[in-house]
Amino acid sequence: MDQSDQELDRLSMLLHALPVENMPMTLSELNGYLVGVLACPDMIPPSEWMPLVWGETGEANFPDETTATDTIGAVMAHHNAVAEAMTRSLWLEPIYEVDPNSDEILWEPWIDGFTRALKMRPDAWERLLDQADEGTQSNLIFLMALQDIYTGNSKFTDAEIDDIDQEAPDLIPNCVAAILDKSRPELSHQEPANLGNAPFKAAPRPGRNAPCPCGSGRKYKQCCGRN
């Protein structure tokens, strides 16, 4: 079952309550991270991936047992919701952050979480790259290139980065779908939307500046696109 806005808001609040000096994950980072964990060809148990949610030290330092139970439960509920969504369709809607000043969609935290998950099983992903077709390779390389842009290590020109920045929120879901088709073949009985041989815009997602399909009269990025 998809999580409600209230459940996601509560999860975000619980993550923000973690010690900030430890740099815990935000909701967007967690969403990308869990997609990466679940997309991995090798299973990664919660005992291994969960400590990284709490921050750099892997220690949550919960103030009491109730907070620990609530936070761990909320994180696992989101993990299970993402896993269930994958069984219905390889195309997943990322949870992006939104700049409160400009209302621009920020894809960078999501990508940071996703690539952090990839680093947990580098050998598994290396095997997939070696065995995968050119389309899957290009999609995975593109997502890693986005992380290079985020960390300032990209070799793209400023103009190219500006173009990629505009397109990335729409490209990411279909890149992930194409990767899942190969990394988790047991899920591929579902037909992901518009899989191809290279990254491209995901048709199911409206443009960020397009009118929101819900009929609110606002731009998509300022309405349903916030989540």
Side-chain angles (χ1 to χ4, degrees), residues 1-2 81 83-90 187 189-191:
M1 179 181 296
D2 291 333
E84 184 178 345
M86 282 185 181
T87 67
R88 298 196 303 269
S89 172
L90 301 186
L187 302 175
H189 63 279
Q190 296 285 351
E191 287 295 331

Side-chain angles (χ1 to χ4, degrees), residues 10 14 62 64-76:
R10 179 173 177 270
L14 290 168
F62 294 116
D64 51 64
E65 185 174 347
T66 298
T67 303
T69 300
D70 289 347
T71 307
I72 293 171
V75 169
M76 283 306 304

Side-chain angles (χ1 to χ4, degrees), residues 12 23 41 46 53 78 84 89 92 105 129 161 165 176 191 197 211:
S12 181
M23 299 182 67
V53 176
H78 190 53
E84 184 178 345
S89 172
L92 303 171
I105 294 175
L129 271 175
I161 290 175
D165 182 54
V176 171
E191 287 295 331
N197 292 326

